[in-house]
Amino acid sequence: MNNFQQMLNQAKMVQRKHEQFKKELFEFSEQGDLIKISVSGSYQIELKINFQELVKIVENDYAMLNDMIQVAINKAISEVKKRENKLINVM
């Protein structure tokens, strides 16, 4: 029975850590801070984009601008997922 109690306690600890993780905010930037992305541990996303400067960089190529933003968002989400998996697998 002691083994079961240890597993139960460990599961509760992982759950508490995961709940804390969901409240954390992770910040990322791309293109020299022209694209700033905040992702919470519960995957709420906030974007701050300097469109005026980015449009100049991509020379009005809006498809490229869209791709740049999408890649930045995907990278940020991927990094948060890695951090979440690391937290869960440590326990």
Side-chain angles (χ1 to χ4, degrees), residues 54-65:
L54 281 174
V55 167
K56 289 178 190 176
I57 291 171
V58 298
E59 298 174 349
N60 295 323
D61 184 342
Y62 294 104
M64 183 185 292
L65 178 63

Side-chain angles (χ1 to χ4, degrees), residues 20-29 35-48 69 71-84:
Q20 286 176 306
F21 180 86
K22 287 181 178 182
K23 296 175 185 175
E24 288 188 48
L25 188 63
F26 304 94
E27 296 186 1
F28 306 92
S29 63
I35 302 173
K36 294 182 180 180
I37 305 166
S38 299
V39 183
S40 73
S42 60
Y43 297 97
Q44 297 294 317
I45 299 171
E46 180 181 319
L47 296 172
K48 293 180 182 175
I69 294 167
V71 166
I73 292 168
N74 288 341
K75 282 174 62 176
I77 291 171
S78 178
E79 183 61 33
V80 172
K81 283 182 181 181
K82 285 180 193 175
R83 293 177 187 191
E84 182 177 29

Side-chain angles (χ1 to χ4, degrees), residues 9-36:
N9 288 340
Q10 187 176 14
K12 287 179 183 179
M13 186 170 58
V14 169
Q15 184 178 11
R16 280 193 302 273
K17 293 245 183 213
H18 196 244
E19 289 301 317
Q20 286 176 306
F21 180 86
K22 287 181 178 182
K23 296 175 185 175
E24 288 188 48
L25 188 63
F26 304 94
E27 296 186 1
F28 306 92
S29 63
E30 293 286 330
Q31 299 297 320
D33 288 346
L34 295 178
I35 302 173
K36 294 182 180 180

